[in-house]
Amino acid sequence: MTKLLQFNHHHTLRFAEGFYRTRSNVASLALATSPSQFSGGYCSIPSRLKLSTCYATLSAVVKPQESAFDGKEAALLVDELRTNFNTGRTRSYEWRISQLQNIAKMIDEKEKCITEALYQDLSKPELESFLAELSNTKSSCMLAIKELKNWMAPETVKTSLTTFPSSAQIVSEPLGVVLIISAWNFPFLLSVEPVIGAISAGNAVVLKPSEIAPATSSLLAKLFSEYLDETTIRVVQGGVHETTALLDQKWDKIFFTGGARVGRIVMAAAAKNLTPVVLELGGKCPALVDSDVNLQVAARRIITGKWACNNGQACIGVDYVITTKDFAPKLIDALKTELKTFFGENPLKSKDVSRIVNSFHFKRLESMMKENGVADKIVHGGQTIEDKLKISPTILVDVPEESSMMQEEIFGPLLPVITVSKIEDGFQVIRSKPKPLAAYLFTDNKELQKQFVENVSAGGMGINETVLHVTLKDLPFGGVGESGIGAYHGKFSYETFSHKKGVLYRSFDGDSDLRYPPYTPEKKRVLKALLSSDIFGAILAFFGFSKDS
């Protein structure tokens, strides 16, 4: 897996170094590390080659490209959708609402199929699939159906004296034809939720689901063709070759969910056509735990935000915990107790623990645990079953800062606990790393809560809670810095796929020669007074007087 496949003198694919850093279907695009591969806009894998992927056991076999979907096919698809978009059909309220209603209907009627696909891809427990994926997606859809007329309505804004008499509005218009590239860890939610936003805003859409979750990808293609308007909404399945072909086209927006490395490639590809992007990435999401907490509740919520959240394979999941040296033993004991309550004596046999997505990620996580200076830091768990891709909930204490576990997003069931002398020292630990997608604090200390919100930069935050902030549709969900660009959820989804167009309305009445040549001192005095909102001064200047006279 770690061998370098030489394509030419300087260009290499680094499987072990590149693939695991992303959750996206374009994961393998991240493998290129030579700077010259980025100079052309993005990393392009030779079209004659394809990475053959066994989804439960990732393979690094290279074989001839068999897919008919290439750059030409992608261009034809975009042209077709753009032609259909230009007819104006997607702009109407009726089209938008009908597509949203069909998505809601699809979720209701195909709940069992969706749940089975999620289990096939990730062994995701049925209740977790319902709560995290189906329920959240349905909620977003129903909110869009309820609020769509309000979102579409022009927003009236104030005008100024210089444009009197006039009125002005902000009018939302669809961007056009948009590309959505989704991820494997929540393959239904992270595919359909942005599609809801794109449809609500009136766009034509191409969805590229993750081939690393093949059952869900295949099901999405089938369901979209069955429930939605195929003339304006399409699903393209496939891997690197198909994604490369799509990225080479001109889009009106690209919405990508995945890792920072591939995010850079997507952004570089978009830059060639000045295409705006939304990058929903990830990062090392910390949970800072004070000693004044309800220990049982805090432990249960941390577990929910780690192991009961796709077994740690979540971009907003708790990546590591920071607490004081004195409090750490109590917190760890509480975590152990609640883990036993949640998943039993042998969590590897629990039906409520998702498996690792494939053998590549399994070996990646296993190697993290086996690093020098890390293995002896395990205080709970560490058991594995390779043929079932199972890793038990694992807690480690004070692993070395230079270890890969502390330098990279873990994205799995390993939870390092970092100890500090006093809780405020945890702020510096968090700030020493790239800005995370989410940050969590457990404390009853209101002053500490205030300091945390003011001094820690993150895409979103939860105080005395984990992950639930993303379920609130009135809160934007997105990253900052390396954890992402842009935001969505609720109305924010509608806005991220819309252009806010400013419109000024005036009649032919009330026209004044003040703005027209010839420019005289008298006109200048009147205009200066008007622009400074000095009505009395403007009147005096109009009649040839000044305040000083």
Side-chain angles (χ1 to χ4, degrees), residues 273-388:
N273 293 307
L274 295 180
T275 300
V277 296
V278 172
L279 303 178
E280 293 294 337
L281 308 178
K284 295 188 70 64
C285 302
L288 186 62
V289 186
D290 200 2
S291 59
D292 64 348
V293 298
N294 181 317
L295 196 51
Q296 183 186 38
V297 173
R300 290 163 68 92
R301 291 178 181 175
I302 291 170
I303 291 170
T304 301
K306 180 65 173 182
W307 297 287
C309 196
N310 205 25
N311 202 14
Q313 299 169 109
C315 54
I316 55 168
V318 178
D319 189 271
Y320 64 103
V321 167
I322 306 170
T323 193
T324 61
K325 292 183 183 295
D326 293 339
F327 188 66
K330 295 180 182 178
L331 176 60
I332 291 168
D333 284 345
L335 289 170
K336 290 179 180 179
T337 298
E338 297 305 320
L339 280 169
K340 181 179 177 181
T341 301
F342 284 16
F343 306 122
E345 291 283 356
N346 187 353
L348 293 176
K349 294 183 178 180
S350 173
K351 295 180 180 180
D352 295 321
V353 177
S354 300
R355 67 167 170 83
I356 307 306
V357 67
N358 56 38
S359 67
F360 186 92
H361 286 278
F362 178 92
K363 291 180 183 299
R364 172 182 67 81
L365 292 163
E366 190 176 48
S367 70
M368 277 189 174
M369 289 191 288
K370 292 180 178 179
E371 279 186 18
N372 289 336
V374 173
D376 59 352
K377 300 295 185 179
I378 296 174
V379 296
H380 180 78
Q383 296 82 21
T384 65
I385 303 178
E386 184 172 356
D387 61 345
K388 293 185 178 180

Side-chain angles (χ1 to χ4, degrees), residues 163-166 504-513 515-516:
T163 63
F164 179 84
S166 65
L504 172 68
Y505 296 92
R506 294 195 75 194
S507 72
F508 291 108
D509 298 328
D511 194 48
S512 169
D513 67 352
R515 60 186 287 203
Y516 305 125

Side-chain angles (χ1 to χ4, degrees), residues 422-443:
K422 58 182 188 296
I423 199 65
E424 290 80 6
D425 294 340
F427 286 24
Q428 183 53 39
V429 175
I430 298 170
R431 288 197 294 259
S432 69
K433 303 181 185 302
K435 297 176 181 180
L437 185 58
Y440 307 112
L441 171 67
F442 288 85
T443 185

Side-chain angles (χ1 to χ4, degrees), residues 47-242:
S47 61
R48 69 184 183 279
L49 297 174
K50 181 180 180 181
L51 299 181
S52 176
T53 305
C54 173
Y55 301 103
T57 54
L58 181 66
S59 170
V61 177
V62 180
K63 69 176 185 180
Q65 174 58 248
E66 297 174 354
S67 173
F69 192 89
D70 53 15
K72 182 178 179 181
E73 191 75 15
L76 289 172
L77 172 61
V78 175
D79 286 346
E80 179 187 345
L81 293 185
R82 196 172 301 283
T83 297
N84 293 331
F85 171 79
N86 287 338
T87 65
R89 65 182 303 168
T90 67
R91 293 174 177 266
S92 72
Y93 171 81
E94 289 74 21
W95 181 88
R96 303 185 202 194
I97 205 72
S98 68
Q99 301 308 303
L100 293 172
Q101 288 170 341
N102 284 343
I103 290 176
K105 181 181 178 183
M106 176 185 78
I107 295 171
D108 287 339
E109 293 181 351
K110 302 299 182 180
E111 178 180 333
K112 184 177 180 182
C113 295
I114 297 166
T115 301
E116 288 175 351
L118 293 170
Y119 184 81
Q120 185 176 338
D121 286 330
L122 292 156
S123 295
K124 189 169 287 194
E126 183 176 350
L127 182 58
E128 185 178 330
S129 293
F130 175 77
L131 292 175
E133 304 225 35
L134 282 86
S135 178
N136 262 335
T137 309
K138 177 72 177 294
S139 174
S140 295
C141 192
M142 298 311 295
L143 177 66
I145 291 171
K146 178 183 176 183
E147 297 293 339
L148 185 58
K149 279 189 177 179
N150 292 331
W151 293 348
M152 291 178 66
E155 177 187 351
T156 300
V157 297
K158 293 180 180 179
T159 59
S160 68
L161 186 62
T162 56
T163 63
F164 179 84
S166 65
S167 62
Q169 291 180 330
I170 299 172
V171 178
S172 294
E173 65 177 8
L175 293 170
V177 183
V178 301
L179 172 64
I180 295 170
I181 303 173
S182 65
W184 58 258
N185 55 330
F186 292 88
F188 186 79
L189 171 70
L190 297 180
S191 294
V192 181
E193 178 139 14
V195 168
I196 289 169
I199 290 173
S200 298
N203 298 280
V205 186
V206 172
L207 169 65
K208 175 61 185 69
S210 174
E211 81 279 9
I212 301 176
T216 307
S217 175
S218 177
L219 181 63
L220 284 168
K222 179 178 181 295
L223 295 182
F224 272 41
S225 65
E226 181 180 343
Y227 283 87
L228 300 178
D229 177 7
E230 274 198 294
T231 68
T232 49
I233 304 167
R234 295 285 183 83
V235 175
V236 174
Q237 296 191 81
V240 174
H241 183 80
E242 291 76 13

